[in-house]
Amino acid sequence: MATPLIVSEVAKAFTMHLRGGIRLPVVANVSFSIRAGECAVLGGPSGAGKSSILKMVYGNYGVDQGQIIVDHHGQLVDLATANPRTVLAVRRDTIGYVSQFLRTVPRVSALDVVAEPLVARGTARDEAHARASELLGRLNLPERLWSLPPATFSGGEQQRVNIARGFITDHPVLLLDEPTASLDATNREVVISLIEEKKLRGTALLGIFHDADVREAVADRIVDVTTFAAGKAAA
Amino acid sequence: MTDEPLLRVTALSKYYGSRIGCEDISFDLWPGEVLAVVGESGSGKTTLLNCLATRLLPTSGTASYRMRDNQWRDLYRMSEAERRFLMRTDWGFVHQNPADGLRMTVSAGANVGERLMAIGDRHYGNIRSTAVDWLGRVEIDEERIDDEPRAFSGGMRQRLQIARNLVTGPRLVFMDEPTGGLDVSVQARLLDLLRGLVTDLGLAAIVVTHDLAVARLLSQRMMVMKDGHVVESGLTDRVLDDPRAPYTQLLVSSILQV
Amino acid sequence: MTTAATEIATYNFAYLDEQTKRMIRRAILKGIAIPGYQVPFASREMPMPYGWGTGGVQVTAAIIGPDDVLKVIDQGADDTTNAVSIRAFFQKVADVAVTTETAKATIIQTRHRIPEHPLTAGQTLVYQVPIPEPLRFLEPRETETRKMHALEEYGLMHVKLYEDIARHGRIATTYAYPVKVEGRYVMDPSPTPKFDNPKMHMSPALQLFGAGREKRIYAVPPFTRVVSLDFEDHPFEIQTFDQPCALCGAEQVYLDEVILDDKGGHMFVCSDTDHCEKRQACGHRGHLAPEALEPAQ
């Protein structure tokens, strides 16, 4: 089975120049891979570096050491060293991301927010809107909200917009940062089934789920982040 | 995205006597890409912008631009006629103060139409309908087409300046603190409008700003400047979420949280 | 008296010294070589205020010779103060023959009109120009306007015409209407009514323009294309008058409105006095001409 994402010996520390240059190690020696159709869940307590790993894989955090190899259109790209343009191309076509919070843009409707990743990849606006409507419908977002900018939505509503936006494309790799945190039971079930569908389609998923029920339901494998604790590697 | 950049900047330096304006700046800009240049006053970001827009001649270094015919041209070796033609057709320049970029004593319609007339459009009706269309795109009521920008609010003036620049379908737009003098609410509207236009038209842009929110909203990539040098550059969200240079960390941590 | 007059110092022929005339002639030649281009020149103080035609007077002084016949018009009239003074000036300093007849003149200095009688080869029309820069209306910087001329960036000229149409529904500029000379330079034809613009096109006469205060000379050589700027959907048009000259009955000429009393009485008469008098001498009569009035009185 294909392995679209390989993380190898990645290390990350924050250097706080404003606090006398102290160095805060986050993780070290992070190594794991995810196969197509598999959902791996980063496990470990808060502060273990789960979010940082996810952000490094998305190119949102810099990587100090190691490699993050992703299969981008059949080419192996190392996100740890890729230039910004490559990272943007990878994000557009290969790695999707459902963040914890929606960064809202004023005056853009929920439907457009969701459809945007498809439009960016060249899908016709009508078709993208149709797909977006379908997803928002499945996630039970009231239809009267679709044409409104999500800035004023509740946390749960915003999160569902965010989930729809992340799931609308067929990126081979999908990163999920607590997508169910502010959802009710019904919508959690919807997300679980969306994840199942992705797995069946061969998407490699990497996620953080604090909700044990969801984690149980979707995880094929737990990647224990505590084994990557920076102190441990140094020891 | 095409395989070739639109603008190539190599080791660009500008000195004012012995003082550094900006030093050893190199980067490529691709079509459709928005680059934010951030830094405080005196960091050299405006000097860099003015050098790139050929409003200033750098002391050393080169900047090459890929023309519409795909020929690469050295910006500092072009004839003035070519450069001025480029500036009013394939480029735009949005000034912080709209009065610097507009003709304050001619109507909004003529401000938008001037570039069209400059490239030989001689049909009044067509010029006017294009102006109407562009006023609509920058959310200025069509009824204001014959009013002078003197009668416009700051936000409207800035939107008019943007329309005036974009009417010829430029591929590269320089912006110097485009939201600088505006109220916060007006800023948000302008930014959102700009973001939409940049995306819809596939514009490449170099935006000089000291406002990191502007950079975050508009740009994919950013350069952080201090004392004439680029201290950090990269993907905008990477630089803002994981700042590495001491100065960038200071900038990011100085943002007031609302 | 006569003996004394030969001994006291007199003015140089045509007032200006020979070196100055030479300098002005060089500017004129350059202007002729580059039709429509504004040539800077070292404008002199003249014994009349700026705005009274010092530019035109210097040009005339530089080209006039003892054999020339001079006509001077102001708004088409030979008998206004300005015209009379300048004519008297050249009679005094150059001792040349003067005339009011367009056909007999070799040099015609004008303010604001081109005579109705067609000019012929060998004649020179000298325009008095207040503001030579057609782009000045929208661009105050001389450095910038010079660059715009050099690079043929004339979009701004159409901005002015656009503004006219936007405000008035048509091109409302009626005088100093910009023209393009020989397909190259945009030129201000001086504040002549646009009615006269077509007369500049392919004229057999030499046309010289002098701006004394602004220190510029420009020229349109004989048989040069002079095209008035316009829009495709708002083409250039000259003024038309819905009645003929009240004195001579002429049509298709430029008319001035003359107020007759303080009760709103007025008439339209030829602006070109010479043309009007010639026609009246030939027996043409308008509805308010003296002979026509008499029976009513």
Side-chain angles (χ1 to χ4, degrees):
Chain A
M1 214 177 213
T3 307
L5 179 67
I6 302 167
V7 177
S8 169
E9 299 180 335
V10 161
K12 169 80 183 163
F14 290 114
T15 305
M16 314 298 277
H17 293 286
L18 302 181
R19 285 197 266 151
I22 58 164
R23 207 164 159 278
L24 300 177
V26 184
V27 286
N29 206 18
V30 181
S31 298
F32 63 89
S33 61
I34 311 173
R35 291 188 304 276
E38 181 187 40
C39 180
V41 173
L42 295 169
S46 297
K50 301 189 296 290
S51 230
S52 294
I53 292 173
L54 215 55
K55 284 175 173 169
M56 284 191 281
V57 174
Y58 195 57
N60 180 229
Y61 276 8
V63 177
D64 294 345
Q65 276 175 42
Q67 292 179 307
I68 297 175
I69 307 292
V70 62
D71 178 349
H72 176 58
H73 293 309
Q75 301 261 320
L76 297 185
V77 171
D78 180 7
L79 286 172
T81 54
N83 65 39
R85 220 167 93 82
T86 307
V87 176
L88 287 175
V90 167
R91 286 181 184 180
R92 192 187 63 219
D93 294 340
T94 305
I95 301 186
Y97 183 53
V98 177
S99 58
Q100 211 169 344
F101 303 104
L102 179 65
R103 194 175 282 282
T104 57
V105 176
R107 304 201 305 173
V108 178
S109 75
L111 201 63
D112 281 325
V113 169
V114 175
E116 200 259 345
L118 275 187
V119 174
R121 301 184 67 192
T123 308
R125 204 167 283 270
D126 287 351
E127 195 191 327
H129 276 173
R131 295 271 304 279
S133 307
E134 188 195 320
L135 272 169
L136 289 175
R138 276 189 74 180
L139 287 157
N140 304 304
L141 190 78
E143 198 167 339
R144 63 186 161 77
L145 296 179
W146 295 1
S147 59
L148 301 177
T152 54
F153 291 7
S154 72
E157 287 161 350
Q158 288 196 3
Q159 186 149 42
R160 277 177 278 162
V161 171
N162 222 3
I163 291 164
R165 179 180 161 91
F167 278 83
I168 195 166
T169 52
D170 49 3
H171 284 110
V173 177
L174 187 56
L175 311 176
L176 307 167
D177 191 355
E178 302 211 40
T180 54
S182 20
L183 298 187
D184 58 25
T186 316
N187 285 312
R188 274 205 298 274
E189 287 305 319
V190 176
V191 173
I192 290 169
S193 60
L194 284 172
I195 292 172
E196 289 303 327
E197 286 165 28
K198 284 285 180 200
K199 283 160 68 173
L200 288 175
R201 284 225 206 94
T203 306
L205 296 108
L206 176 65
I208 301 170
F209 296 93
H210 281 157
D211 184 324
D213 294 344
V214 180
R215 191 166 59 220
E216 300 281 299
V218 301
D220 296 308
R221 193 152 58 86
I222 305 286
V223 176
D224 185 1
V225 172
T226 54
T227 61
F228 308 139
K232 202 169 178 175
Chain B
M1 286 193 194
T2 42
D3 294 283
E4 272 197 297
L6 193 60
L7 181 70
R8 271 196 184 125
V9 181
T10 314
L12 201 74
S13 299
K14 171 74 184 173
Y15 301 96
Y16 299 102
S18 59
R19 202 160 54 79
I20 295 172
C22 61
E23 192 170 60
D24 198 24
I25 314 282
S26 300
F27 68 91
D28 288 347
L29 186 76
W30 270 268
E33 189 178 39
V34 180
L35 172 72
V37 182
V38 303
E40 61 200 18
S41 313
S43 61
K45 56 192 197 304
T46 298
T47 295
L48 173 64
L49 189 77
N50 283 332
C51 283
L52 296 175
T54 69
R55 295 154 58 83
L56 265 182
L57 200 63
T59 313
S60 62
T62 59
S64 309
Y65 183 72
R66 185 161 57 81
M67 308 292 278
R68 289 192 192 216
D69 62 2
N70 277 327
Q71 296 293 308
W72 282 93
R73 299 296 305 276
D74 182 341
L75 290 178
Y76 308 119
R77 287 173 193 274
M78 286 171 104
S79 73
E80 186 170 24
E82 283 179 296
R83 221 164 57 216
R84 285 170 66 111
F85 183 74
L86 190 68
M87 286 170 95
R88 62 171 191 264
T89 53
D90 211 22
W91 286 6
F93 196 106
V94 176
H95 297 261
Q96 174 173 10
N97 178 3
D100 294 339
L102 291 172
R103 291 195 190 278
M104 297 303 279
T105 55
V106 306
S107 67
N111 263 291
V112 176
E114 181 176 343
R115 275 178 164 231
L116 297 173
M117 294 182 247
I119 55 172
D121 204 329
R122 292 290 176 266
H123 190 283
Y124 174 82
N126 294 349
I127 293 166
R128 196 165 170 87
S129 59
T130 307
V132 167
D133 177 45
W134 269 99
L135 290 180
R137 291 171 85 160
V138 298
E139 301 170 12
I140 294 175
D141 192 335
E142 184 184 333
E143 283 180 14
R144 306 299 301 270
I145 188 168
D146 292 329
D147 292 348
E148 292 177 8
R150 285 191 294 202
F152 286 5
S153 68
M156 278 175 78
R157 287 179 187 183
Q158 198 56 294
R159 280 181 273 135
L160 180 63
Q161 192 191 182
I162 288 162
R164 173 177 160 90
N165 271 283
L166 298 188
V167 68
T168 50
R171 295 187 301 159
L172 174 59
V173 179
F174 301 96
M175 302 188 204
D176 187 8
E177 304 276 7
T179 59
L182 305 175
D183 292 342
V184 179
S185 59
V186 178
Q187 268 190 27
R189 181 180 183 185
L190 185 79
L191 274 177
D192 183 49
L193 183 88
L194 264 180
R195 201 191 59 89
L197 287 171
V198 164
T199 317
D200 291 350
L201 304 172
L203 288 178
I206 298 177
V207 184
V208 157
T209 179
H210 66 271
D211 186 336
L212 297 181
V214 171
R216 163 103 64 186
L217 197 59
L218 286 181
S219 72
Q220 291 101 39
R221 207 147 63 86
M222 66 189 270
M223 298 198 308
V224 182
M225 289 189 71
K226 184 177 193 317
D227 301 330
H229 293 96
V230 172
V231 294
E232 185 163 2
S233 66
L235 270 185
T236 299
D237 62 279
R238 207 282 295 152
V239 173
L240 292 176
D241 294 342
D242 182 17
R244 310 201 134 194
Y247 179 67
T248 316
Q249 291 188 355
L250 175 67
L251 266 187
V252 171
S253 66
S254 307
I255 304 174
L256 294 174
Q257 300 289 332
V258 181
Chain C
M1 279 291 283
T2 49
T3 50
T6 57
E7 281 162 24
I8 60 166
T10 56
Y11 285 113
N12 191 36
F13 179 79
Y15 186 74
L16 294 172
D17 62 272
E18 293 307 313
Q19 284 305 317
T20 297
K21 284 195 278 187
R22 199 170 121 113
M23 174 270 292
I24 295 174
R25 285 176 198 139
R26 290 169 77 123
I28 292 170
L29 283 173
K30 185 169 179 180
I32 292 170
I34 317 170
Y37 172 72
Q38 299 167 50
V39 185
F41 80 110
S43 179
R44 296 293 193 252
E45 290 289 332
M46 298 302 284
M48 63 185 73
Y50 287 130
W52 285 62
T54 55
V57 166
Q58 288 179 80
V59 169
T60 300
I63 61 169
I64 203 163
D67 301 333
D68 274 312
V69 181
L70 179 68
K71 169 182 165 79
V72 182
I73 51 174
D74 175 6
Q75 305 268 17
D78 292 274
D79 54 1
T80 57
T81 313
N82 194 250
V84 170
S85 307
I86 292 172
R87 205 160 50 225
F89 175 74
F90 280 110
Q91 279 180 294
K92 178 165 183 178
V93 299
D95 193 28
V96 292
V98 296
T99 182
T100 58
E101 287 183 51
T102 300
K104 286 187 181 163
T106 56
I107 298 173
I108 303 167
Q109 181 170 331
T110 177
R111 172 174 176 266
H112 296 193
R113 275 312 308 280
I114 298 174
E116 304 291 358
H117 190 277
L119 300 177
T120 54
Q123 289 185 304
T124 302
L125 189 59
V126 177
Y127 296 77
Q128 302 169 196
V129 181
I131 296 171
E133 181 48 71
L135 298 163
R136 186 65 72 234
F137 170 76
L138 292 165
E139 179 50 69
R141 292 168 295 178
E142 175 73 10
T143 47
E144 183 66 13
T145 54
R146 286 183 73 84
K147 200 163 277 173
M148 290 161 96
H149 282 295
L151 302 177
E152 227 178 322
E153 292 179 6
Y154 288 131
L156 199 54
M157 217 57 253
H158 274 86
V159 169
K160 183 178 190 285
L161 301 179
Y162 171 98
E163 287 291 86
D164 261 9
I165 304 172
R167 286 183 207 291
H168 307 289
R170 65 196 159 80
I171 298 177
T173 300
T174 53
Y175 64 93
Y177 191 105
V179 293
K180 195 162 205 181
V181 181
E182 202 62 18
R184 178 56 181 87
Y185 283 93
V186 165
M187 185 186 91
D188 183 336
S190 88
T192 50
K194 66 178 177 181
F195 181 89
D196 287 339
N197 275 19
K199 296 178 191 165
M200 306 179 77
H201 178 62
M202 299 306 277
S203 170
L206 170 65
Q207 303 174 75
L208 302 177
F209 300 78
R213 183 184 51 215
E214 303 291 323
K215 303 177 174 60
R216 294 289 183 277
I217 284 171
Y218 50 102
V220 176
F223 303 106
T224 299
R225 282 177 290 135
V226 178
V227 180
S228 303
L229 302 182
D230 61 3
F231 285 102
E232 287 158 19
D233 47 346
H234 286 269
F236 172 77
E237 284 172 349
I238 60 170
Q239 296 103 325
T240 55
F241 299 89
D242 46 17
Q243 49 187 304
C245 170
L247 296 178
C248 76
E251 292 176 357
Q252 272 132 42
V253 294
Y254 192 73
L255 302 180
D256 282 339
E257 184 180 10
V258 176
I259 305 296
L260 297 175
D261 51 40
D262 57 2
K263 301 182 190 71
H266 64 119
M267 64 175 179
F268 285 94
V269 299
C270 285
S271 132
D272 185 336
T273 53
D274 171 59
H275 185 70
C276 197
E277 281 161 16
K278 282 270 176 356
R279 279 180 55 86
Q280 290 183 64
C282 294
H284 295 286
R285 286 293 178 274
H287 71 287
L288 291 176
E291 285 86 339
L293 276 176
E294 270 162 21
Q297 283 172 343

